Amino acid sequence: MLARAPFQPAKVNVDLAMTIIKPSSSVLHSVPAAHFNYKMVIAVRKDLKLSPGKLAAQVAHAAVTCALVSKKRKPAWFEAWYEEGQKKVVVKVADLRELHELKVAAEDAGLVTALITDAGHTELPPNTTTCLGIGPAPEAEIDKVTGHLGLM
């Protein structure tokens, strides 16, 4: 039987750059981390006390849904966001009321939104609204609506 070397995590200097794969090619290129002009924000309800796995799944649902909707409704914003490396920020809101208020404010500002409701197969009751995706959009526009929220 062969002995395995112990696992060594990769060392990445995230200050230098972030590596992305462009869909039009298999060539890797780097984008300096300081040049983000667009982002997506996902707001998650604090009152639900989601497990880390459930939280990750709900945030992923919001990100994918927002990206797909944005690609159709705001293609220029989507393309710019995608080319920059798809910056995403996860923030917290207190409860469902605050989530709905945020959705109205984002839509009034002309931003793409995606309200995520869980099916209830695991740890939440059916039809529990968990999070809200906003964007992608120019950072200045999205910050007008979400800039006051704390990070998750």
Side-chain angles (χ1 to χ4, degrees):
M1 183 169 194
L2 296 173
R4 291 185 182 199
F7 173 75
Q8 294 292 324
K11 294 179 183 174
V12 178
N13 184 344
V14 293
D15 291 331
L16 284 180
M18 159 177 95
T19 303
I20 62 173
I21 299 175
K22 295 183 67 163
S24 58
S25 70
S26 60
V27 177
L28 294 175
H29 72 282
S30 294
V31 176
H35 294 316
F36 287 111
N37 296 310
Y38 292 80
K39 70 180 174 183
M40 179 186 294
V41 172
I42 298 96
V44 180
R45 289 175 55 188
K46 284 192 314 186
D47 63 319
L48 294 178
K49 311 278 189 270
L50 301 173
S51 71
K54 178 56 92 175
L55 174 67
Q58 298 301 299
V59 168
H61 288 315
V64 169
T65 303
C66 272
L68 292 173
V69 171
S70 179
K71 190 171 183 181
K72 287 186 176 188
R73 292 191 191 160
K74 303 275 189 175
W77 287 3
F78 172 82
E79 289 297 326
W81 170 77
Y82 193 86
E83 290 295 317
E84 287 182 343
Q86 311 97 49
K87 180 178 179 180
K88 292 171 254 358
V89 178
V90 181
V91 297
K92 55 191 171 187
V93 295
D95 53 26
L96 183 60
R97 180 192 55 76
E98 188 177 0
L99 198 68
H100 281 290
E101 290 171 357
L102 187 63
K103 181 179 188 297
V104 169
E107 289 173 349
D108 286 350
L111 302 172
V112 168
T113 66
L115 196 61
I116 304 303
T117 302
D118 190 66
H121 297 300
T122 55
E123 60 189 72
L124 295 172
N127 300 315
T128 301
T129 301
T130 57
C131 62
L132 172 70
I134 303 171
E139 284 206 47
E141 296 301 312
I142 215 163
D143 285 347
K144 290 176 187 175
V145 177
T146 64
H148 65 286
L149 299 170
L151 295 175
M152 188 67 181

